[in-house]
Amino acid sequence: MSTTPSARLRVCVLGATGSIGTNTLDVLARHPERYEVVALTAHGRVPELLAQCLQWKPRFAVMSSADAAAALQRELRGAGLRTEVLHGPDALCHVSAHADVDVVMAAIVGAAGLEPCLAAARAGKRLLLANKEAIVVGGALFMDAVREGGATLLPIDSEHSAIFQCLPEDRGTWAQRIDHIVLTASGGPFRDRDPATLAAVTPDEACAHPNWVMGRKISVDSATMMNKALEVIEARWLFNLKPEQIKVVVHPQSIIHSMVVCRDRSVLAQLGTPDMRVPIAYGLSFPERIESGASLLDFTQLPGLTFRPADTARYPGLQLAWDTLRGPEGSTAVLNAANEVAVAAFLAGTIRFDQIHSVNARCLDAVSPSSDACRSVAGLLALDADVRRHAESVVGTLNA
């Protein structure tokens, strides 16, 4: 990074108005002597990004559309701020790779985060990866960019941060030490509900997570366990594991965030309150530790810590993670694109909750990615677009 030990780290927050973005800014506000905000981005929430710009006075602000950018620019000029407002995918890549940025928090939801993540990786940034879809879609291409650009990749998902914290810093010894890892899952809002009733689930019910405060898309993914399926795929790439070395167990209390089972059968676990500011603070300060703002875990007040298998009748989509990892290269990108369309359709009220899995499975059966599609960003984006078109047609048949 282009800073001296005494310099403040310069941060770009991609997806600043979402849950991860706002939690990131909360942690940054606790340490003004260590960090400054250079760039903030949002999809379309002009009032929210305006408020953040007024507080942080970044050099850059990025919106998805020209209209939203123009609206934000008018408000900022009226307030006397000289923040440069940009828009579109190229602008996201521009701020992610900018020479005046040291740290990129990648918190854009979905495959839209792939290109700015790649830009940050190729520019050698400290990349805090909350956008699991970038690695699910990018796979080897993404990891090659991290290695070739000399980037520091730090996982922000609580599960992957937990695994990372349990492993030695010397990555070269991981393969000799690990037997397998165990990703914990809360089970979502329907972990105790009769699977036969899931067809009647409403979007508001699916978004009412019992343990975590998250955006609507990721909340639905948690309810279907597709979020965990994507995390299985992410773990394969982050930790260079075989599919069979990744296990999932339901842990309703969300106190143990994940575990590493060593070859000698020792089990290393990371525990903490369910607060995303903990992995965010760890990523920002690594290898140090800073105050996150999370409450202290009081062991004397804990309920019993319980575990159960992931019920395939309740969560049929979870198995798709291992299926796609063992399938043709690019299958994970197919799964991600289909799921984004299916979740959007459910949130819009056009398909039932239990039909999300049907869309995903039918797209995987119908679309066979070519190996060439995974060799470039253009190929992956073209595959993503093809799958989305097919998924929309599947959604249409379910409504017919």
Side-chain angles (χ1 to χ4, degrees):
M1 280 181 282
S2 56
T3 61
T4 65
S6 61
R8 292 194 298 168
L9 290 178
R10 300 163 296 183
V11 182
C12 165
V13 183
L14 304 175
T17 60
S19 175
I20 296 295
T22 55
N23 276 308
T24 299
L25 293 175
D26 180 89
V27 175
L28 293 175
R30 298 170 188 276
H31 304 279
E33 76 288 354
R34 295 181 65 115
Y35 306 101
E36 64 176 299
V37 174
V38 173
L40 297 171
T41 85
H43 177 58
R45 297 177 177 176
V46 173
E48 290 90 338
L49 193 61
L50 171 63
Q52 292 177 344
C53 288
L54 293 174
Q55 177 182 356
W56 292 97
K57 300 176 176 57
R59 178 174 171 184
F60 301 105
V62 181
M63 303 296 300
S64 292
S65 71
D67 288 345
L72 179 62
Q73 186 75 82
R74 286 193 299 271
E75 295 290 342
L76 291 174
R77 285 176 179 168
L81 256 63
R82 301 180 64 182
T83 296
E84 182 178 353
V85 181
L86 308 170
H87 71 274
D90 289 345
L92 291 174
C93 294
H94 174 69
V95 297
S96 298
H98 200 280
D100 290 341
V101 167
D102 304 305
V103 181
V104 175
M105 168 56 78
I108 294 174
V109 176
L114 173 61
E115 289 188 279
C117 283
L118 283 170
R122 289 166 176 159
K125 306 301 183 185
R126 171 178 289 204
L127 179 56
L128 310 186
L129 189 67
N131 172 251
K132 65 178 66 65
E133 293 88 351
I135 199 168
V136 168
V137 175
L141 183 72
F142 181 87
M143 296 306 295
D144 287 346
V146 170
R147 184 179 62 256
E148 293 165 5
T152 300
L153 180 63
L154 295 168
I156 299 302
D157 272 344
S158 61
E159 297 82 1
H160 301 92
S161 178
I163 297 297
F164 187 82
Q165 292 179 57
C166 290
L167 292 171
E169 289 187 27
D170 181 6
R171 291 176 179 247
T173 68
W174 287 0
Q176 288 73 44
R177 298 186 184 216
I178 298 175
D179 183 81
H180 65 276
I181 67 171
V182 180
L183 302 178
T184 57
S186 71
F190 310 129
R191 60 194 176 210
D192 297 315
R193 182 162 168 165
D194 182 352
T197 70
L198 293 179
V201 164
T202 68
D204 285 344
E205 287 176 318
C207 292
H209 197 282
N211 298 357
W212 299 91
V213 177
M214 304 181 293
R216 288 175 71 79
K217 194 269 182 184
I218 193 172
S219 294
V220 174
D221 281 347
S222 180
T224 62
M225 202 76 96
M226 273 305 305
N227 191 47
K228 203 58 51 180
L230 298 178
E231 288 174 7
V232 168
I233 297 166
E234 182 181 6
R236 176 266 177 271
W237 291 108
L238 285 173
F239 307 116
N240 194 27
L241 298 171
K242 299 174 183 177
E244 56 269 22
Q245 288 181 286
I246 308 167
K247 317 293 184 183
V248 172
V249 65
V250 173
H251 169 48
Q253 295 80 26
S254 295
I255 297 298
I256 297 177
H257 296 299
S258 279
M259 295 169 275
V260 173
V261 180
C262 303
R263 290 199 170 188
D264 62 2
R265 295 304 186 260
S266 298
V267 180
L268 307 177
Q270 188 263 338
L271 288 71
T273 53
D275 190 323
M276 284 306 300
R277 290 177 295 179
V278 175
I280 289 168
Y282 182 75
L284 285 168
S285 63
F286 177 80
E288 301 176 45
R289 300 268 184 173
I290 60 173
E291 171 62 39
S292 68
S295 60
L296 186 64
L297 184 63
D298 185 347
F299 288 94
T300 67
Q301 299 300 313
L302 285 180
L305 301 183
T306 60
F307 305 89
R308 66 179 81 161
D311 180 359
T312 55
R314 193 182 309 276
Y315 310 114
L318 181 59
Q319 180 59 41
L320 297 179
W322 291 276
D323 293 344
T324 54
L325 284 172
R326 295 185 177 105
E329 188 176 8
S331 296
T332 58
V334 174
L335 175 60
N336 181 74
N339 185 62
E340 287 191 22
V341 171
V343 171
F346 167 68
L347 288 172
T350 54
I351 64 171
R352 299 192 313 267
F353 179 80
D354 62 323
Q355 292 176 322
I356 294 173
H357 175 66
S358 297
V359 175
N360 295 341
R362 287 171 62 175
C363 286
L364 283 169
D365 287 341
V367 181
S368 297
S370 68
S371 57
D372 290 344
C374 304
R375 300 292 185 262
S376 67
V377 175
L380 285 170
L381 293 179
L383 172 63
D384 182 85
D386 286 345
V387 177
R388 288 172 190 273
R389 283 191 291 270
H390 186 78
E392 292 287 2
S393 70
V394 173
V395 167
T397 64
L398 293 174
N399 287 318

